[in-house]
């Protein structure tokens, strides 16, 4: 694998994990949002990743297939979580129904923080791989002196 390829693959990981951190931040920011434009509580969102070929043109794809597949990661979609909303009894809340029940977002703050740590660690790992590739390229240039 050459320098440019390793940089592109690490960069795709950085972009994907940055998107995940943004979605997690939005989930945590809306943990108490009981009414959205649709009239329902905020629904937790999550990402779907997909691996895509590193190269765009056919010749490069064929070469990669012969040498061993190199793929990068992309965010395929941001999808809502299908879990049910939480309900709590709070008759004084403005969004309470006739029985005094309020529907809250389907967000578990512990789960979101654990995911945030995982996303941050994965981002750091991609950054370390990017820095290692850069250091190796610089060392290779020094050999020619």
């Amino acid at each position: 694998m050459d320098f440019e390829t390793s940089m592109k693959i690490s960069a795709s990981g950085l972009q994907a994990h940055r998107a995940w951190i943004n979605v997690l931040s939005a989930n945590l920011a809306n943990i108490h949002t009981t009414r959205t434009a649709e009239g329902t509580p905020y629904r937790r969102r999550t990402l779907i990743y997909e691996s895509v070929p590193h190269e765009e043109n056919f010749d490069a794809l064929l070469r990669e297939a012969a040498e061993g597949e190199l793929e990068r990661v992309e965010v395929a979609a941001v999808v809502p979580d299908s879990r049910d909303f939480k309900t709590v009894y709070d008759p004084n809340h403005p969004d309470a129904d006739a029985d005094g029940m309020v529907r809250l977002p389907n967000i578990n703050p512990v789960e979101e923080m654990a995911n945030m740590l995982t996303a941050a660690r994965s981002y750091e790992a991609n950054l370390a791989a990017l820095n290692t590739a850069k250091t190796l390229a610089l060392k290779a240039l020094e050999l020619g002196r």
Side-chain angles (χ1 to χ4, degrees), residues 46-111:
T46 190
L47 296 179
I48 295 181
Y49 291 136
E50 71 178 352
S51 60
V52 295
H54 167 67
E55 296 290 344
E56 288 82 24
N57 64 38
F58 180 75
D59 292 338
L61 283 171
L62 192 59
R63 186 179 62 248
E64 276 189 2
E67 295 173 357
E69 289 187 31
L70 292 178
E71 295 186 338
R72 57 189 168 84
V73 65
E74 280 187 359
V75 175
V78 178
V79 296
D81 191 328
S82 62
R83 289 183 272 189
D84 291 334
F85 293 118
K86 299 176 196 172
T87 56
V88 295
Y89 180 74
D90 187 1
N92 296 325
H93 194 282
D95 291 326
D97 62 12
D99 297 327
M101 301 301 287
V102 178
R103 292 190 320 162
L104 298 174
N106 57 349
I107 299 170
N108 179 349
V110 175
E111 178 185 2

